[in-house]
Amino acid sequence: MTVKAENISKRYFRKTGGANHFYAMNDLNLTITSGEMTVLTGRSGSGKTTLLNILSGLLAPTEGRVWIDGTDLYSLDDKALSRLRNEKIGVIPQGRSAIDTLTVMENILLPAKLYGKPFPAEAASRWMERLGIAHLKDARPAELSGGELRRMAIVRALSNSPDILLADEPTDDLDDENTAMVLSAFRAAAHAGKAVLLVTHEKDALNYADQAYQMESGKIRPLSY
Amino acid sequence: MKNFSLSVKNLTRKPGRTAALALLTAFLALAVFGGSVVVLSLRKGLNSLEARLGADIILVPDQAQSKVSFQNLFLQGTTGAFYMDASVLEKALEVEGVEKAAPQTFLASLKADCCSIKIQVIGIDPEKDFTVQPWIERSLARALGDMDVAVGCKVEADVGEIIRIYERRCKVVARLEATGTGLDTAVYCSMNTMDQLLKAAEEKGVSHRMASGDDVISAVYIKVKDGYDIDNVNSRLNSRVRKATAVRTRSMITGVSDSLAGVSRTVTILIVAVWALAFVILLLAFAMIIRERSREFAVLRLLGASRGMLSRTVLQESALCGLLGGVTGVGLSALLLFPFAQLIESALQLPYLMPDMINIVWLGLGTVLLSVIVAALSSVIAAYRLSRVDPGNALREGN
């Protein structure tokens, strides 16, 4: 499985002040492949989250294409793109991403439920155990700490066995012990053949990476570490 | 309906939000169902009154003050007694255009055993009568015999029971169906029985017949021949029959029709106003709720939900709120309308007859369906806007 961003640009319009538009990224190229863990670092506002949203099919680029194994992501209609995201891509967004009306377990099984697929209950239990939130399976998101919610989102992405994992600051709100636990989980996923992209400020993440990039003003460059 | 359970969970686990939305639709349902039942009851009451009167023209003595006395008698159940010579019947039959004529004789009782109030006794000629007799025949297979009475549905006497009118024992042989009018409090008997009751009343010192003589009647119900103008026949009766006034039954119930039209109009305006207001409030409520839940929907998009799925989820949730509100509204309305039907009838002072249960059930189902549709419609704009939301931005804004 290969995800390839080809000459991606994203232009936003500004309502007030200066030029009426700006580029969050310009002519960007990136390839992530199965079995590899890619780490992307950079300052806030450098365009990391925008890139992640573009790669996950949530935000159409102004120019360029995103290929997933030869399929042009943005040539698909909404239905097909949504289905592809559900089946092949596991996204861990920044901040809270739980549905408040569902329990932790229900949140984790939600991607399967959306399309009436068999529940990956066994995988969910295993990952919950590994990330230390097994005891919270019946709790509601409002009862969880920020760190527990992050881990819930990670378990949700991992349990549904996507080919591609895109994580945006997955170690935010986590202590050192849990950070190490989460990073090793992503490493294990890459070993298992998934293409993993980690957007993070966490320096330790580089120790787990196969390749790393720095993003600055909408452009990326390889990072030596 | 794959994600129907998700909609149900969203509703049941946010009970406050769900209750607020359902309450709004409950108001809609209450207004529609309640208003419709009242209007239909009034219509049925009026139809029943028209059917029971069954005549085109009624001939009454001049002193009966025509419409006023009759309207009171029929609509409010007040008692009345006025008489004219029985020969009026023959004179009426001689008038051109008169097809049928049937006499009735009225007697206001003092107080019968059965009733805590005065009741109206109406004597009919079963052979000639074409107004009350068909109703009696629905409950009684034979003609009214000597000292037999048929009672209106509001007279507290069962079939087989003996009631005393001016000390005379009368046997209840039939109970008539409800009309929603003052006729429900009347007691019907044959002319022979009426004769005996009139004599009994005179023995009690209650002189009903006054100077009219022994052979008296109170009214003649007239059916006009096909092809004749009722107004013309009415004029002919007024000019040919002395000491009696011919009144068109339609004109007697014109006041009722006008009142009914007024009530219907008011109820309709009320329903439209409530619906318009509630629809706007629902529209705003859904818009606000969707805005509040934009991150939740962005997460669903992130997990692979298509725009269509999100729209369906919103529509399902709003339709379920409509269903809940509709059922609640109809239930509340029924709780208010059915036990207090008598009170409503008294307050309106109009013929009031509840529609048949099957019609009420259909009306209830229709109201619930309407509530579901309106609730779903009011969320359509919100659902559309939601499906256009950029999930990337929504997730970013939520942080």
Side-chain angles (χ1 to χ4, degrees):
Chain A
M1 175 69 63
T2 304
V3 182
K4 195 173 173 188
E6 197 178 78
N7 308 117
I8 295 291
S9 296
K10 182 66 188 176
R11 188 178 58 209
Y12 285 109
F13 286 94
R14 236 194 286 263
K15 283 179 185 163
T16 52
N20 68 348
H21 66 266
F22 70 97
Y23 281 89
M25 67 189 56
N26 204 353
D27 201 23
L28 183 146
N29 290 285
L30 175 70
T31 302
I32 58 173
T33 51
S34 295
E36 281 191 358
M37 180 162 154
T38 304
V39 169
L40 181 65
T41 62
R43 283 199 228 160
S44 296
S46 59
K48 303 185 299 292
T49 299
T50 301
L51 175 61
L52 193 132
N53 285 337
I54 289 173
L55 294 178
S56 58
L58 288 169
L59 185 66
T62 313
E63 286 158 37
R65 288 178 180 185
V66 177
W67 301 91
I68 292 185
D69 268 356
T71 303
D72 181 357
L73 207 57
Y74 289 97
S75 69
L76 300 173
D77 63 18
D78 181 67
K79 203 173 169 182
L81 179 55
S82 300
R83 178 111 208 182
L84 182 140
R85 187 162 50 241
N86 177 270
E87 285 175 355
K88 293 192 187 306
I89 308 173
V91 187
I92 300 145
Q94 269 189 62
R96 286 175 57 93
S97 64
I99 306 289
D100 290 339
T101 50
L102 304 179
T103 64
V104 167
M105 185 54 112
E106 286 167 344
N107 264 287
I108 289 168
L109 300 178
L110 188 55
K113 186 170 177 54
L114 286 176
Y115 287 91
K117 295 187 291 191
F119 289 145
E122 200 183 312
S125 298
R126 200 174 58 244
W127 282 113
M128 284 172 87
E129 196 69 51
R130 182 163 174 177
L131 294 188
I133 56 167
H135 61 293
L136 297 170
K137 70 182 171 71
D138 295 322
R140 300 276 283 274
E143 301 163 38
L144 270 59
S145 69
E148 287 164 340
L149 283 169
R150 297 300 296 150
R151 280 179 281 161
M152 187 214 78
I154 294 163
V155 171
R156 181 172 59 199
L158 290 167
S159 301
N160 288 283
S161 298
D163 296 324
I164 303 151
L165 270 169
L166 304 172
D168 196 355
E169 304 288 3
T171 54
D172 261 11
D173 300 321
L174 298 184
D175 56 28
D176 290 347
E177 192 186 340
N178 280 315
T179 298
M181 208 188 294
V182 165
L183 291 174
S184 65
F186 283 120
R187 183 66 258 176
H191 274 312
K194 301 187 188 312
V196 181
L197 173 64
L198 221 68
V199 169
T200 183
H201 285 107
E202 187 64 53
K203 294 270 192 297
D204 286 350
L206 296 172
N207 298 329
Y208 296 81
D210 295 304
Q211 54 175 345
Y213 294 94
Q214 169 104 34
M215 191 155 189
E216 206 172 307
S217 303
K219 292 192 178 290
I220 60 167
R221 60 178 175 80
L223 194 67
S224 46
Y225 55 98
Chain B
M1 300 291 275
K2 265 183 211 152
N3 300 308
F4 185 71
S5 64
L6 182 64
S7 299
V8 172
K9 277 176 188 159
N10 281 336
L11 293 177
T12 53
R13 292 177 185 176
K14 287 278 184 190
R17 186 173 72 194
T18 308
L21 289 172
L23 199 65
L24 275 170
T25 38
F27 278 124
L28 295 180
L30 193 132
V32 169
F33 184 72
S36 303
V37 167
V38 168
V39 169
L40 287 177
S41 299
L42 290 171
R43 284 207 183 122
K44 191 173 177 193
L46 182 66
N47 289 341
S48 167
L49 175 62
E50 273 184 311
R52 183 64 79 89
L53 288 175
D56 299 315
I57 297 166
I58 300 181
L59 206 53
V60 291
D62 289 336
Q63 79 266 24
Q65 295 176 322
S66 62
K67 282 203 278 188
V68 178
S69 300
F70 262 63
Q71 240 168 270
N72 288 345
L73 185 75
F74 292 134
L75 301 186
Q76 286 149 36
T78 53
T79 52
F82 35 81
Y83 301 98
M84 57 189 176
D85 196 275
S87 61
V88 168
L89 177 65
E90 298 308 319
K91 287 175 188 155
L93 278 166
E94 288 166 11
V95 173
E96 189 189 348
V98 172
E99 183 188 351
K100 289 180 192 168
Q104 285 191 4
T105 308
F106 304 151
L107 172 66
S109 82
L110 283 176
K111 195 175 166 186
D113 282 350
C114 61
C115 310
S116 54
I117 49 161
K118 284 188 359 173
I119 54 168
Q120 180 74 27
V121 187
I122 299 175
I124 60 166
D125 181 341
E127 283 180 14
K128 294 188 177 119
D129 192 87
F130 57 91
T131 58
V132 183
Q133 187 59 28
W135 291 75
I136 294 176
E137 281 169 6
R138 291 189 199 182
S139 318
L140 185 68
R142 59 178 175 81
L144 287 169
D146 207 24
M147 301 313 280
D148 282 349
V149 291
V151 296
C153 70
K154 285 186 187 164
V155 176
E156 292 164 9
D158 291 325
V159 172
E161 217 173 286
I162 301 291
I163 60 171
R164 297 169 75 87
I165 302 170
Y166 291 110
E167 298 301 325
R168 293 290 197 277
R169 290 163 59 84
C170 301
K171 188 179 179 186
V172 177
V173 293
R175 275 178 76 84
L176 305 184
E177 290 167 15
T179 65
T181 68
L183 297 170
D184 290 337
T185 58
V187 168
Y188 300 89
C189 62
S190 68
M191 284 299 190
N192 283 344
T193 306
M194 177 53 85
D195 227 31
Q196 294 182 53
L197 293 178
L198 284 169
K199 278 179 188 143
E202 280 168 353
E203 284 164 21
K204 282 269 170 192
V206 184
S207 182
H208 283 286
R209 287 187 270 198
M210 299 176 292
S212 303
D214 275 353
D215 198 9
V216 292
I217 54 176
S218 300
V220 177
Y221 285 64
I222 290 163
K223 179 90 185 145
V224 173
K225 280 181 189 164
D226 284 345
Y228 280 84
D229 183 80
I230 299 172
D231 281 327
N232 288 343
V233 177
N234 196 68
S235 301
R236 275 199 284 275
L237 282 163
N238 274 327
S239 61
R240 307 253 172 92
V241 185
R242 288 182 57 228
K243 293 186 181 174
T245 305
V247 185
R248 276 202 66 173
T249 49
R250 181 175 290 175
S251 74
M252 279 170 46
I253 58 172
T254 298
V256 184
S257 295
D258 290 348
S259 303
L260 176 61
V263 172
S264 295
R265 208 167 27 246
T266 308
V267 170
T268 308
I269 290 169
L270 198 71
I271 290 173
V272 170
V274 169
W275 276 74
L277 190 68
F279 186 73
V280 171
I281 294 173
L282 273 175
L283 216 62
L284 294 173
F286 278 116
M288 282 165 65
I289 286 167
I290 296 301
R291 183 184 282 264
E292 179 206 309
R293 295 173 67 189
S294 61
R295 186 173 175 83
E296 175 190 329
F297 289 116
V299 170
L300 284 169
R301 289 282 282 151
L302 190 87
L303 300 180
S306 64
R307 287 191 181 119
M309 276 183 184
L310 291 196
S311 300
R312 276 197 295 280
T313 302
V314 172
L315 290 175
Q316 265 171 16
E317 286 183 26
S318 53
L320 283 170
C321 280
L323 180 68
L324 184 65
V327 170
T328 308
V330 168
L332 278 176
S333 196
L335 276 178
L336 290 172
L337 284 173
F338 301 131
F340 299 110
Q342 200 82 39
L343 207 66
I344 296 168
E345 183 181 347
S346 310
L348 292 171
Q349 293 210 325
L350 288 168
Y352 189 86
L353 205 56
M354 281 278 188
D356 298 334
M357 191 45 73
I358 188 77
N359 290 335
I360 288 176
V361 169
W362 278 117
L363 185 64
L365 289 175
T367 306
V368 171
L369 183 68
L370 205 61
S371 305
V372 170
I373 292 170
V374 166
L377 271 181
S378 60
S379 70
V380 162
I381 297 172
Y384 176 77
R385 289 176 67 174
L386 173 74
S387 70
R388 302 285 135 189
V389 162
D390 175 351
N393 281 343
L395 285 168
R396 194 190 288 258
E397 281 168 14
N399 286 324

